[in-house]
Amino acid sequence: MRKHLCLFTTATRYDLIEHARNRFAMLLVVCFIPTWISLVYLTIPRRAAPFRLAATGERLAPAGNELTQITGALNAVTLVTGFMMFAATFAGGRFDRRLAMAGYPRTHLVLAKAASMVLASALLAAYATAAMCVAWTPKQPWLLAGALFCAALTYGAMGVVFGSLLRREVEGMFALVMTSVIDVALQNPMVSSGAGNPLTRLLPTYGSVQAATAAGFSTTSAASYLALQLLWFAATALLGLLAFHHRTRNALPQPGRPGRSAAARPRDAAPLEARRAPTAGRQPDAL
């Protein structure tokens, strides 16, 4: 038991160090999240934005800047968490593969990544919630933090998937940015007139958007929508696990199962030996 705990602790420590060394990600955490949330609150008009919230069935009319601040916080948290996990997976892929081929248990590597992702998501969710509470007070701040946390987990797992499958950093960044922007923007009544369309229920952060909106402007709990968001996280995490398993697989020939080159050598060598055999007993021609 102590050995497994030591392996897990070591892998988790290296993952956290890798995140801390990503200075651009740390800059995004410190500056981008509060700046984006503050700009949304200060620049979007305060006029009421009436809409019907599917999670509670209530007809709400919150201030437009407060409503957009919630979707902006979701967008910021998902982008930062997804970028952190993508960068760590993309940069550390070869190292993880070497560790796995050297005998380091892949289970501990996966659990370490999950632990660092959970910790990062929790810190970012708490940070974004505190930044919003400076401007106004949500009706259910704990539910709001939970919604941000679940959305961050989903995009963190998505970052692992992109980091394991995509070949270049620009591809992963573009995929994360476009997915998050389209996902959250289509669910904001201030931006999209089709926010109530049934197709929005298929978007990755639908559960978190519904729960966060209810947390901000209603006293009715929508905690069940966090369970829906966790289903999205579970599906995305499964894809990330499969991608990580594929990337850290052992590509070397297994003992007792020679590779193609080893099997080809005896067949190639047989004709060569047959050609050499007649010449072995022949006397050299006289000069």
Side-chain angles (χ1 to χ4, degrees), residues 181-274:
V181 169
I182 294 173
D183 179 15
V184 178
L186 288 178
Q187 300 183 68
N188 184 359
M190 289 285 294
V191 177
S192 172
S193 59
N197 193 296
L199 290 177
T200 58
R201 300 179 182 181
L202 303 177
L203 295 173
T205 60
Y206 177 77
S208 284
V209 170
Q210 292 293 312
T213 307
F217 311 111
S218 174
T219 56
T220 304
S221 177
S224 60
Y225 281 79
L226 296 183
L228 175 62
Q229 189 61 51
L230 289 176
L231 287 178
W232 261 102
F233 163 67
T236 312
L238 178 60
L239 290 176
L241 178 62
L242 294 175
F244 181 80
H245 183 273
H246 176 75
R247 187 168 187 176
T248 57
R249 72 192 188 282
N250 189 348
L252 295 177
Q254 298 299 319
R257 301 177 65 180
R260 182 179 301 176
S261 59
R265 277 196 295 269
R267 295 195 299 267
D268 296 339
L272 180 60
E273 294 297 332

Side-chain angles (χ1 to χ4, degrees), residues 101-182:
M101 293 178 66
Y104 207 101
R106 284 188 290 182
T107 302
H108 296 79
L109 294 176
V110 170
L111 291 176
K113 289 187 180 299
S116 63
M117 181 172 64
V118 169
L119 180 60
S121 300
L123 291 176
L124 289 174
Y127 186 44
T129 303
M132 280 191 288
C133 289
V134 171
W136 58 286
T137 304
K139 299 284 184 67
Q140 304 177 69
W142 288 107
L143 181 60
L144 176 59
L148 293 174
F149 171 70
C150 293
L153 281 179
T154 302
Y155 271 78
M158 198 176 297
V160 174
V161 174
F162 290 154
S164 299
L165 298 180
L166 299 180
R167 299 293 183 181
R168 293 183 296 180
E169 286 184 303
V170 66
E171 296 173 356
M173 292 303 300
F174 182 80
L176 283 170
V177 169
M178 293 308 299
T179 302
S180 179
V181 169
I182 294 173

